[in-house]
Amino acid sequence: MSNTPITNSIRVLRFHANEMTQQELADRIGATRQTVHAIEAAKYAPSLELAFRIARVFDKQVEEVFHYPDTSERTLSG
Amino acid sequence: MSRQEVYAWASLLSNVAFLLVYLILVFGIPSMMAPWEGDLIQALSVIILIDVAFQAVISMQKRRTLGVDKDERDVAIEAEGFTVGYYVFLVAIVILIGHLFTQNVIGEFADPVYLERMKTLPLHFLVIVLVAGTSAKSVVQIRRYRD
């Protein structure tokens, strides 16, 4: 899938969550390890439901896990 | 490699093998390859059988493991594949309609032997399009997984 402007902090959050593996996270959110990898690499933008599930695993708000650039930043980056 | 990607590869492989066997059986083999016709068909048939067995083994493994087999990303990628497959079928239907229409129009003037050959053409065309459509779906899926 093509790159998405939505970035995330999943890698860091996994590290702070006792170095949780991608497979562990995938099992907890009901996705495959490949999908977790694609989301982390910003190659796939998850659905709102999956984003909420990921945020809840780390006990965070969705905005704390996923970041969407401002309009001006998006225009500059193309 | 995810299980869905493995399925896409296996589907593509079996489709290509089936298409080759079908083309050899229907239209014959090029003369330079004629001595190996039997071996070639046998080899392609073995590939199809191995592929079927492989997919069966993967399906059985799926039941034993607890992990998710298919998620929303797999569904989205599959949908892209289906879209491309749909366009392949759409183009094929337009070609087929054109062919049937012109066949009726030129039917009154054409050679009967030529017309007899033309009658079986839509059948072969549909089989080839079916394989081409499903192969296109698999190719799109593989490409998306590799991106």
Side-chain angles (χ1 to χ4, degrees), chain B residues 39-95:
Chain B
D39 294 336
L40 197 60
I41 290 174
Q42 201 174 5
L44 291 169
S45 304
V46 168
I47 288 174
I48 294 170
L49 286 174
I50 289 171
D51 186 51
V52 169
F54 179 68
Q55 290 199 41
V57 169
I58 289 178
S59 298
M60 280 189 280
Q61 272 186 334
K62 177 178 76 181
R63 286 181 202 129
R64 284 188 209 141
T65 52
L66 291 171
V68 176
D69 180 48
K70 188 178 187 179
D71 61 18
E72 60 172 47
R73 178 169 165 263
D74 295 313
V75 173
I77 289 172
E78 193 178 36
E80 279 187 55
F82 276 128
T83 307
V84 173
Y86 165 77
Y87 284 124
V88 170
F89 290 141
L90 203 65
V91 169
I93 286 170
V94 170
I95 292 169

Side-chain angles (χ1 to χ4, degrees), chain B residues 19-41:
Chain B
L19 185 65
L20 287 174
V21 170
Y22 186 81
L23 289 175
I24 290 169
L25 291 176
V26 172
F27 299 108
I29 196 164
S31 55
M32 57 186 284
M33 294 173 76
W36 304 290
E37 184 177 353
D39 294 336
L40 197 60
I41 290 174

Side-chain angles (χ1 to χ4, degrees), chain B residues 107-137:
Chain B
E108 295 166 25
F109 317 105
D111 181 4
V113 179
Y114 171 73
L115 274 179
E116 201 57 40
R117 276 188 203 160
M118 291 275 277
K119 275 182 188 168
T120 54
L121 204 61
L123 172 72
H124 301 316
F125 180 72
L126 283 174
V127 173
I128 291 166
V129 165
L130 179 68
V131 177
T134 47
S135 299
K137 174 185 165 272

